[in-house]
């Protein structure tokens, strides 16, 4: 796990940034699908989803890149949430004691929606952990979906705009989309603490 987090903590080189965009572009008319699949993969793998959305912005522009990023983030979040409603939930409950589960349920009753909204753009596996916890804590589906959309759509459009704005310099777009979520982490944690 530490190795996976460490691998996410490196800023892409100019070559890696160009390679990321070229990798999506090589799928030509299917680049949008490859981008969405990469965002879904972030549910279980350390894929920097904001970088993928910025790459979609480089390729498709702000509006279409933002729409594609929104679809990827929302469906990926739903995927993680639904996963915790399957038999995986029983397996996780074995490792989480009843006292911890009660605390999670209480947290998601009080400020679960804000936790989902504020973590959608955060780095590493924070957004996915929140989605899993929401499913595990039994956050109501309608409330979860509304919070997921409210956090995902602005995030997707913001990072697609970064990609589109620096389409001629993909390294700047991808580095900004990688570093900005790290800088937003303390702000989101502060806001989550205040809302609980």
């Amino acid at each position: 796990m530490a190795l996976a987090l460490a691998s996410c903590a490196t800023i892409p080189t100019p070559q890696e940034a160009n390679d990321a965009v070229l990798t999506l572009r090589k799928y030509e008319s299917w680049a949008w699908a490859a981008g969405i699949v990469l965002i879904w993969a972030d549910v279980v793998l350390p894929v920097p989803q904001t970088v993928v959305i910025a790459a979609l912005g480089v390729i498709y522009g702000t509006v279409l890149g933002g729409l594609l990023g929104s679809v990827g983030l929302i469906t990926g979040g739903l995927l993680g949430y639904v996963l915790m409603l399957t038999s995986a939930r029983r397996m996780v409950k074995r490792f989480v004691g009843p006292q911890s589960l009660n605390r999670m349920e209480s947290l998601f009753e009080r400020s679960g929606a804000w936790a989902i909204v504020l973590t959608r753009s955060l780095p590493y596996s924070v957004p996915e952990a929140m989605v899993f916890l929401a499913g595990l804590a039994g956050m109501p589906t309608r409330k979860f979906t509304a919070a997921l959309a409210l956090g995902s759509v602005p995030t997707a459009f913001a990072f697609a705009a970064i990609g589109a704005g620096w389409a001629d310099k993909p390294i700047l777009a991808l580095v900004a989309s990688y570093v900005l979520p790290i800088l937003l982490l303390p702000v989101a944690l502060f806001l989550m603490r205040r809302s609980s």
Side-chain angles (χ1 to χ4, degrees):
M1 181 67 157
L3 183 61
L5 286 176
S7 72
C8 289
T10 60
I11 294 175
T13 65
Q15 186 60 45
E16 289 170 335
N18 286 327
D19 288 349
V21 174
L22 288 174
T23 298
L24 281 181
R25 280 193 175 142
K26 83 176 183 177
Y27 291 103
E28 296 172 2
S29 60
W30 290 98
W32 62 271
I36 289 173
V37 168
L38 283 171
I39 294 170
W40 290 347
D42 191 38
V43 171
V44 292
L45 298 172
V47 175
Q49 60 192 15
T50 54
V51 174
V52 174
I53 296 168
L56 289 171
V58 168
I59 295 168
Y60 294 108
T62 301
V63 175
L64 188 52
L67 286 172
L68 293 168
S70 296
V71 167
L73 286 176
I74 292 169
T75 55
L78 286 169
L79 201 69
Y81 177 83
V82 168
L83 186 63
M84 286 297 109
L85 302 178
T86 65
S87 58
R89 177 186 175 93
R90 281 188 301 245
M91 186 176 73
V92 172
K93 277 182 134 178
R94 287 183 195 159
F95 296 106
V96 178
Q99 191 176 18
S100 295
L101 191 58
N102 288 340
R103 271 192 250 136
M104 272 191 289
E105 288 169 351
S106 174
L107 168 74
F108 274 92
E109 269 180 40
R110 283 192 327 269
S111 58
W114 280 112
I116 298 298
V117 170
L118 294 171
T119 59
R120 291 314 290 158
S121 68
L122 295 183
Y124 312 120
S125 296
V126 174
E128 290 66 42
M130 294 311 291
V131 162
F132 288 144
L133 290 174
L136 191 61
M139 185 176 181
T141 305
R142 190 174 286 173
K143 184 177 180 182
F144 172 77
T145 305
L148 184 66
L150 192 60
S152 297
V153 172
T155 297
F157 277 90
F159 286 97
I162 289 171
W166 281 324
D168 58 333
K169 296 179 181 149
I171 181 61
L172 291 178
L174 299 187
V175 167
S177 65
Y178 195 88
V179 172
L180 188 57
I182 295 168
L183 299 176
L184 291 174
L185 183 60
V187 175
L189 292 174
F190 173 76
L191 291 172
M192 282 171 37
R193 236 180 257 131
R194 285 194 61 176
S195 67
S196 62

